[in-house]
Amino acid sequence: PKLRVGQFVGGGLASIWLNGRTLTLSCTNDTTLASLNDSGTLVRNGTATVTWGGGTFSGSAVLNGGAFHVYPNLAGCTNVTVNSGATLSWQWNSSGLPPRLVLNGNGYNENGALNGHNLSNGSIPITGEVVVASAATVIRSGGVQDLTFTGNLYGPGALTLTGGGRFHVARAGRWQLRQ
């Protein structure tokens, strides 16, 4: 069974338990999802920003449009795919990205397929596998000093890294850079 949500009334939802189901969020107004829990699949469509505040989500996510702003740790997710026209934006828990991240495109409103911001720890370690499936942009902003890829970084697409500070690929394993 699938759950489909078009618009949230009153600015957001408190908590959702997926229990192995697929949740499709198709929002055109900014909204907040306070808690997403259990395994399943999250599909994010639409043109607005959805802010996710926490929970125990352990499934996969496909971001097709808009911005998905994440405060909690995404390390419990198995896979997050960010397609052209979508942005995965995160802050605070910088080490909590999923074990597999697939990037495509320049993001929602050209804000990058992946956008790390307002982090005060001075460094963002990206420890999982990053697949650049097509040309993609990663943007760093707001207080971040370094961005370090310590997992596998590869794919057929070109990766554009923007923002101040330094970018590192610090792994002896599989990585591929293209000009």
Side-chain angles (χ1 to χ4, degrees), residues 22 35 39 46 58 71 73 90 132-133:
T22 297
S35 178
S39 66
S58 61
Y71 285 101
N73 186 326
W90 87 102
V132 185

Side-chain angles (χ1 to χ4, degrees), residues 110-112 114 137-141 147 160-164 167:
E110 302 297 314
N111 285 316
L114 183 62
T137 302
V138 173
I139 296 177
R140 295 182 322 97
S141 60
L147 177 64
T160 301
L161 304 169
T162 65
F167 297 92

Side-chain angles (χ1 to χ4, degrees), residues 107-144:
Y108 174 61
N109 288 335
E110 302 297 314
N111 285 316
L114 183 62
N115 187 324
H117 60 91
N118 295 330
L119 297 163
S120 60
N121 68 355
S123 180
I124 301 175
I126 298 179
T127 59
E129 176 180 69
V130 178
V131 179
V132 185
S134 66
T137 302
V138 173
I139 296 177
R140 295 182 322 97
S141 60
V144 177

Side-chain angles (χ1 to χ4, degrees), residues 62-145:
V62 178
L63 310 179
N64 293 319
F68 193 61
H69 187 73
V70 178
Y71 285 101
N73 186 326
L74 278 176
C77 296
T78 56
N79 183 58
V80 175
T81 299
V82 183
N83 288 319
S84 184
T87 295
L88 174 60
S89 171
W90 87 102
Q91 87 182 53
W92 294 341
N93 189 352
S94 60
S95 63
L97 289 173
R100 187 167 195 268
L101 185 60
V102 180
L103 301 177
N104 297 281
N106 294 324
Y108 174 61
N109 288 335
E110 302 297 314
N111 285 316
L114 183 62
N115 187 324
H117 60 91
N118 295 330
L119 297 163
S120 60
N121 68 355
S123 180
I124 301 175
I126 298 179
T127 59
E129 176 180 69
V130 178
V131 179
V132 185
S134 66
T137 302
V138 173
I139 296 177
R140 295 182 322 97
S141 60
V144 177
Q145 301 301 314

Side-chain angles (χ1 to χ4, degrees), residues 13-99:
L13 289 177
S15 297
I16 294 177
W17 280 262
L18 289 180
N19 296 320
R21 294 177 293 216
T22 297
L23 170 65
T24 301
L25 297 174
S26 299
C27 304
T28 56
N29 296 324
D30 292 351
T31 194
T32 299
L33 175 60
S35 178
L36 184 62
N37 301 286
D38 296 328
S39 66
T41 302
L42 172 68
V43 178
R44 168 70 180 101
N45 299 322
T47 57
T49 298
V50 172
T51 301
W52 173 32
T56 60
F57 179 60
S58 61
S60 64
V62 178
L63 310 179
N64 293 319
F68 193 61
H69 187 73
V70 178
Y71 285 101
N73 186 326
L74 278 176
C77 296
T78 56
N79 183 58
V80 175
T81 299
V82 183
N83 288 319
S84 184
T87 295
L88 174 60
S89 171
W90 87 102
Q91 87 182 53
W92 294 341
N93 189 352
S94 60
S95 63
L97 289 173

